[in-house]
Amino acid sequence: MNKITCECGHVNPEGTVLCEACGKPIEGNQHINGNQPNKLLNMRYDGSARRSQTYNKTFVDKIWNFFSSVKVGVWLIALTLITSAIGTIFPQEANNQSPLPANQYYEQNYGIAGKIYYQLGFHDLYGSWWYMILVASIGISLVIASLDRFVPLYRALKKQKPKRHETFLKRQRIFGQAEQATEEDKKALVQGLKKQRYKVYEQDGHILAEKGRFARWGPYVNHIGLIIFLIGTLLRFVPAMYIDESMWVREGETKQIPGTDRQYYIKNEDFFVETYDKDDPRYEEAIKEQGGSVVKNYQTNAVLYERTDEALPGSEPELKKIKEGAIQVNRPIKVDRFALYQTTYQLDEFKTMTFKLHEKEDSEKKELDTFTVDLVDPKSEYNLDNGIRVKVDSYFPEFEMQNGEPTSVSKYPKNPAFVFNIFTPENPDKPEVSFVGIGANLDPSGENQYKVGLKDFETRDVTGLTITKDLTLPILGLGGLIFMIGVIQGMYWNHRRIWIHPHDEGVWIAGHTNKNWFGIKRDLEKIVDGTNVPMVTDQNELKE
């Protein structure tokens, strides 16, 4: 790397705009940061050399320069915000609580827009690899942009000396000359600076007064907070750190809680829904506006179990009850950092169906025998009296006709239908075929001797729960806290510097602040008050 030696003797890195020691503009580098000979100095990063403006040869240099650009960072943030907004147009797959497969759910509920939404991968946006890359790219941009600016700025501020080049002083926005200032005036200026809580440094009669330097680090503290926040966001893709699952549990059913590695189980003891009393005058008008009953509360009375044996594949778990209680909306039941929230429900789902078999021509429909089908786990065959066998040929839990063909739109028994094959002793190899469903009983051949009819059914309620575990919240909270500290640090304080330069029989005074020029001018008014030193001038632009 080429070094630049200033006339003051200080050796500066290549790309330096203002000498780190005396502040003299470096010849040939005045185009950097928009510095022009006839204008005020651009004090951005105090004229220090930034890596992104010095190297551009190797592949690493090009990557560094790309991510160090503020424009690139802004575009990455904008792109992430846009894609995040698109991800809220329709529910994410993890939150839709639908038993339908994703490819059917989005098309069936949202039409062609939903189909496109699914095919483009927006249904699982926040868990997608490319969204993760976007978030990680913002983090990389923050790290590189911060290092590219913080390191040279820190070096420049650490190495600054009270003795500054005259060109540096004259091209500051705040500048004034006191050609007849006495030694008493100089001492009064120093005392005034100390009274205004400036730290005063002296070198060969030259004075540097400084306060609020820590305000310069506010943006970088912001970046640290954002980086920690992004790390917390990325950790949500790690299963051990973040879980957001959903499950359906039927009344009387015990199921493994997703995400707990088969350690915890839940049993739905009872589920019920409460509605507001329509005869209550307090709610009568609101209920009428809703056009029906309004749900007041829906609740799952649950029991939590912990597995005590080793979780071997295929083995029945040995469970120990550890907790029981009610799960309501916004009132979860918790166990070992897991929280189970009440989110949805399904009333009166079919549990079992009992069918009777009778002769087709029997007008009294006298049953020959009955059989009961468990709709969650139906048997493949049922043996009846008189040697008759009923075989389940097809089962459609949620029956629907599509393109003239029977199909099931989900695996849950909301509208069950069956195709039964009936084997009789007279025809053991040639079964009779019957189609039976809710409000449907068909004999496709028209020649059946026997008929299967619905005799009874049993229903139960199903609760929809969301299981969450979030160990990233402390990290996100820490990142947010550090970010706000940086905001306060950079917003409510400012870095002010005042240079007093002996010149002939008087002094030159120059000042700079990163913001709030009114504040530094007010400080100078108090400092020169009572002396023979005139108030400095606010130079917006040097005159040619």
Side-chain angles (χ1 to χ4, degrees):
M1 182 179 71
N2 297 325
K3 299 289 185 177
I4 302 173
T5 303
C6 179
E7 66 181 36
C8 70
H10 182 76
V11 179
N12 298 279
E14 181 182 355
T16 300
V17 179
L18 304 176
C19 175
E20 294 175 337
C22 71
K24 181 181 181 297
I26 303 297
E27 296 295 335
N29 286 346
Q30 290 304 287
H31 64 285
I32 301 176
N33 292 334
N35 279 291
Q36 298 296 330
N38 63 331
K39 293 185 178 181
L40 299 175
L41 288 179
N42 188 333
M43 294 288 287
R44 184 181 298 174
Y45 316 116
D46 269 41
S48 55
R50 289 164 50 198
R51 189 185 192 283
S52 60
Q53 296 178 333
T54 305
Y55 303 97
N56 193 25
K57 295 181 179 180
T58 67
F59 178 74
V60 174
D61 295 338
K62 296 183 184 300
I63 295 295
W64 181 279
N65 296 347
F66 175 80
F67 281 107
S68 68
S69 170
V70 174
K71 290 183 180 179
V72 170
V74 171
W75 274 109
L76 287 172
I77 292 173
L79 187 59
T80 304
L81 289 175
I82 292 170
T83 54
S84 299
I86 294 174
T88 64
I89 294 176
F90 299 132
Q92 290 289 290
E93 181 182 10
N95 300 323
N96 62 38
Q97 294 290 342
S98 172
L100 288 175
N103 60 335
Q104 296 180 18
Y105 169 80
Y106 288 96
E107 183 174 8
Q108 180 171 313
N109 287 274
Y110 308 109
I112 186 65
K115 184 176 181 180
I116 295 173
Y117 193 82
Y118 170 78
Q119 291 178 342
L120 291 177
F122 287 109
H123 68 291
D124 187 25
L125 173 66
Y126 307 115
S128 62
W129 61 268
W130 56 273
Y131 186 81
M132 191 187 306
I133 289 177
L134 269 179
V135 175
S137 296
I138 294 175
I140 293 171
S141 177
L142 284 172
V143 171
I144 292 179
S146 298
L147 291 175
D148 189 62
R149 291 159 174 79
F150 173 83
V151 174
L153 177 61
Y154 174 80
R155 186 175 60 242
L157 292 178
K158 186 178 180 181
K159 292 182 179 180
Q160 63 179 338
K161 296 179 180 179
K163 189 175 182 179
R164 307 296 273 183
H165 196 275
E166 290 187 357
T167 304
F168 175 86
L169 298 172
K170 288 191 293 185
R171 291 176 60 186
Q172 294 296 324
R173 176 172 168 176
I174 300 294
F175 180 71
Q177 296 173 304
E179 300 296 346
Q180 303 300 323
T182 64
E183 287 297 323
E184 288 73 16
D185 290 331
K186 296 177 185 178
K187 291 179 181 179
L189 292 175
V190 172
Q191 289 302 317
L193 289 168
K194 291 179 179 180
K195 187 179 294 186
Q196 294 299 316
R197 299 189 299 277
Y198 282 83
K199 290 184 178 180
V200 178
Y201 308 92
E202 184 175 359
Q203 179 188 11
D204 299 332
H206 298 261
I207 300 295
L208 165 61
E210 181 181 30
K211 72 176 179 179
R213 184 193 294 187
F214 73 97
R216 297 291 291 272
W217 315 129
Y220 306 103
V221 174
N222 286 347
H223 289 183
I224 292 172
L226 284 174
I227 290 166
I228 293 174
F229 191 90
L230 290 174
I231 290 172
T233 302
L234 291 175
L235 285 176
R236 290 192 164 208
F237 295 101
V238 179
M241 297 294 293
Y242 180 79
I243 291 172
D244 186 3
E245 300 280 356
S246 60
M247 66 183 303
W248 294 90
V249 190
R250 292 160 178 79
E251 287 180 317
E253 184 179 30
T254 301
K255 289 187 72 173
Q256 170 198 330
I257 300 176
T260 65
D261 196 24
R262 293 184 287 180
Q263 182 180 3
Y264 296 105
Y265 290 73
I266 184 171
K267 181 180 181 181
N268 180 358
E269 291 279 6
D270 182 38
F271 177 83
F272 62 87
V273 176
E274 293 178 316
T275 58
Y276 288 98
D277 185 1
K278 64 180 179 180
D279 296 325
D280 192 324
R282 294 176 299 172
Y283 312 122
E284 185 177 0
E285 184 176 349
I287 292 174
K288 285 182 180 179
E289 291 180 358
Q290 291 292 326
S293 60
V294 178
V295 175
K296 180 180 180 180
N297 174 44
Y298 52 99
Q299 174 177 315
T300 304
N301 294 329
V303 179
L304 294 180
Y305 296 92
E306 183 177 10
R307 187 166 190 163
T308 58
D309 62 327
E310 188 175 353
L312 299 174
S315 63
E316 287 294 324
E318 297 178 7
L319 303 178
K320 177 182 70 174
K321 184 169 78 171
I322 56 175
K323 183 181 286 189
E324 61 180 320
I327 307 176
Q328 299 174 323
V329 177
N330 296 327
R331 294 182 180 178
I333 191 170
K334 298 181 179 180
V335 57
D336 191 21
R337 297 183 178 179
F338 292 92
L340 285 77
Y341 288 87
Q342 183 73 64
T343 51
T344 187
Y345 59 88
Q346 173 76 43
L347 297 179
D348 299 325
E349 181 186 270
F350 289 100
K351 179 182 179 183
T352 63
M353 285 182 131
T354 300
F355 299 94
K356 67 177 181 179
L357 183 71
H358 63 88
E359 292 184 357
K360 183 179 179 180
E361 301 301 329
D362 184 1
S363 59
E364 296 182 1
K365 300 182 180 179
K366 181 179 179 180
E367 64 182 45
L368 301 175
D369 204 351
T370 63
F371 61 97
T372 300
V373 179
D374 184 341
L375 298 178
V376 176
D377 186 21
K379 295 180 181 179
S380 60
E381 190 173 298
Y382 298 86
N383 294 314
L384 309 183
D385 291 343
N386 303 322
I388 298 176
R389 293 184 299 118
V390 179
K391 184 177 181 181
V392 180
D393 181 79
S394 299
Y395 170 39
F396 308 99
E398 190 172 358
F399 168 72
E400 188 176 287
M401 293 294 293
Q402 292 184 2
N403 300 322
E405 296 290 333
T407 186
S408 179
V409 296
S410 79
K411 61 181 180 180
Y412 300 105
K414 297 180 179 179
N415 182 30
F418 297 87
V419 175
F420 292 121
N421 288 339
I422 304 170
F423 294 88
T424 64
E426 297 82 10
N427 296 295
D429 300 323
K430 187 178 180 182
E432 296 179 0
V433 180
S434 292
F435 178 84
V436 183
I438 304 297
N441 196 323
L442 304 177
D443 174 8
S445 67
E447 300 177 356
N448 287 352
Q449 180 183 355
Y450 297 96
K451 190 172 184 179
V452 178
L454 178 63
K455 181 180 180 180
D456 198 6
F457 60 86
E458 183 181 358
T459 64
R460 59 183 173 183
D461 299 330
V462 187
T463 182
L465 304 175
T466 294
I467 299 91
T468 64
K469 175 185 176 183
D470 194 350
L471 302 183
T472 66
L473 285 178
I475 300 173
L476 297 176
L478 177 62
L481 175 63
I482 293 175
F483 177 83
M484 290 308 300
I485 290 173
V487 170
I488 296 170
Q489 180 179 345
M491 182 177 293
Y492 293 102
W493 283 271
N494 43 80
H495 182 209
R496 301 177 185 178
R497 284 175 290 177
I498 296 173
W499 295 272
I500 300 177
H501 176 78
H503 190 268
D504 296 334
E505 298 299 324
V507 294
W508 285 3
I509 300 177
H512 180 268
T513 180
N514 61 326
K515 60 179 182 292
N516 189 11
W517 293 92
F518 173 79
I520 192 172
K521 286 188 288 184
R522 186 178 56 187
D523 284 352
L524 283 165
E525 286 175 353
K526 295 177 181 178
I527 292 166
V528 301
D529 185 36
T531 69
N532 295 318
V533 178
M535 181 58 184
V536 295
T537 303
D538 184 353
Q539 305 180 111
N540 287 325
E541 188 168 320
L542 291 177
K543 297 181 180 179
E544 295 185 3

